[in-house]
Amino acid sequence: MSPNVAGALLMMASMAAFTINDTFVKLVGQTIPLFQLLTLRAILATLLLLILARALGRLRFSMPRADRKLVAWRCLAEIAAAYFFLSALLAMPLANVTAILQVLPLTVTLGAALFFREQVGWRRMIAICVGFAGMVLIVRPGTDGFTQHSLFALAAVASVTVRDLVTRRMSAEVSSMTVTVITSASILVFAALASLTIDWQPVNMREGALIAASSLFIMGGYAFSVMVMRVGEVSAVAPFRYTGLLWALLLGWLVFGDWPDGITMLGGAIVVASGIFTLYRERRLKSEKKPA
């Protein structure tokens, strides 16, 4: 198996794990308050990530001062992303929320051009604009289907974009697993404090099993995503992140009986096509810059 094939399989496994986690969260979120759910999941996920990081020998908290500030900003962005995404997930069809998130490669590319002065050619700029048009078809502002939860999904996109841009600025001295553990712990602290403002509900065996399964799958998603960065070329395996939308369509239909309408499907297809073209152009430009 070539490194790129292994990387593609790991990317698909990561997207499957994250989407299955979302499915479990959506199921248990029908009876358990959001902050209680987030606290319980974060406890289990943080413990599992700590065990994984120790086992891999990747838990190193020493880092340059500049990186500490970046990690702090990343944690804040991740907390916002978790809150906005889960709020949207509990109120919207799984596939619709997932389709909106597929615009992330485009927003990250645009953010890198605006804030880091990375060069983005006219072809990629057109692809970004087309991708945003596809996102508009999904959220459809001004229609009855556009609610505050649509705004939450867009806020989640903005938060994850900030997170990824901040992560790009971190030095190579920072351990990816350490950052993941710190981020999970920060979400735990936020959720635990926020949960003090609500009345906790009793958790039955079914809900406990769903929360435990959610923690396992989100930890698996994190683990696979870390492994992806260590095999294959990023530009070759990155397009396989869009398999998450296929999982969302399948699970949304099987578990919740939801299926997006034609306009949403068209918007999702436009977003995915624009993202794949953007990733293709990035790979093409990198290969052209390599010395012969």
Side-chain angles (χ1 to χ4, degrees), residues 75-226:
C75 289
L76 290 174
E78 189 72 81
I79 289 171
Y83 171 73
F84 287 124
F85 174 74
L86 291 181
S87 296
L89 177 66
L90 296 180
M92 296 175 62
L94 175 62
N96 291 43
V97 180
T98 305
I100 294 173
L101 289 183
Q102 303 312 305
V103 79
L104 277 169
L106 304 177
T107 58
V108 171
T109 299
L110 181 61
L114 293 176
F115 298 106
F116 301 151
R117 297 290 185 261
E118 292 186 11
Q119 291 186 351
V120 177
W122 64 271
R123 293 182 181 86
R124 281 190 288 171
M125 285 303 299
I126 290 177
I128 289 171
C129 292
V130 171
F132 284 158
M135 185 180 66
V136 171
L137 289 178
I138 299 171
V139 299
R140 276 172 276 181
T143 65
D144 293 338
F146 185 76
T147 66
Q148 67 172 356
H149 300 104
S150 302
L151 294 176
F152 284 165
L154 295 176
V157 170
S159 301
V160 176
T161 301
V162 172
R163 181 201 70 185
D164 289 353
L165 290 175
V166 168
T167 304
R168 283 193 179 195
R169 308 306 290 177
M170 292 181 187
S171 66
E173 302 174 41
V174 181
S175 165
S176 299
M177 283 301 299
T178 301
V179 173
T180 303
V181 170
I182 292 173
T183 302
S184 183
S186 67
I187 292 175
L188 171 58
V189 172
F190 163 76
L193 292 175
S195 70
L196 298 177
T197 64
I198 63 171
D199 294 326
W200 278 52
Q201 301 298 315
V203 179
N204 59 36
M205 289 186 62
R206 172 184 174 275
E207 293 162 343
L210 287 172
I211 293 172
S214 168
S215 303
L216 285 172
F217 275 99
I218 197 170
M219 193 271 288
Y222 283 135
F224 288 134
S225 63
V226 171

Side-chain angles (χ1 to χ4, degrees), residues 19-124:
T19 310
I20 295 171
N21 156 74
D22 294 341
T23 304
F24 288 143
V25 168
K26 190 171 176 65
L27 282 171
V28 76
Q30 297 172 358
T31 54
I32 300 296
L34 173 60
F35 291 130
Q36 178 183 350
L37 166 60
L38 198 54
T39 301
L40 294 174
R41 190 187 71 168
I43 290 173
L44 293 174
T46 303
L47 289 174
L48 291 171
L49 285 168
L50 272 171
I51 294 171
L52 177 65
R54 288 290 299 272
L56 295 175
R58 301 288 180 181
L59 199 60
R60 299 190 302 271
F61 290 102
S62 60
M63 62 184 70
R65 181 174 298 179
D67 286 317
R68 293 177 189 173
K69 294 180 180 179
L70 292 174
V71 170
W73 279 109
R74 189 186 189 280
C75 289
L76 290 174
E78 189 72 81
I79 289 171
Y83 171 73
F84 287 124
F85 174 74
L86 291 181
S87 296
L89 177 66
L90 296 180
M92 296 175 62
L94 175 62
N96 291 43
V97 180
T98 305
I100 294 173
L101 289 183
Q102 303 312 305
V103 79
L104 277 169
L106 304 177
T107 58
V108 171
T109 299
L110 181 61
L114 293 176
F115 298 106
F116 301 151
R117 297 290 185 261
E118 292 186 11
Q119 291 186 351
V120 177
W122 64 271
R123 293 182 181 86
R124 281 190 288 171

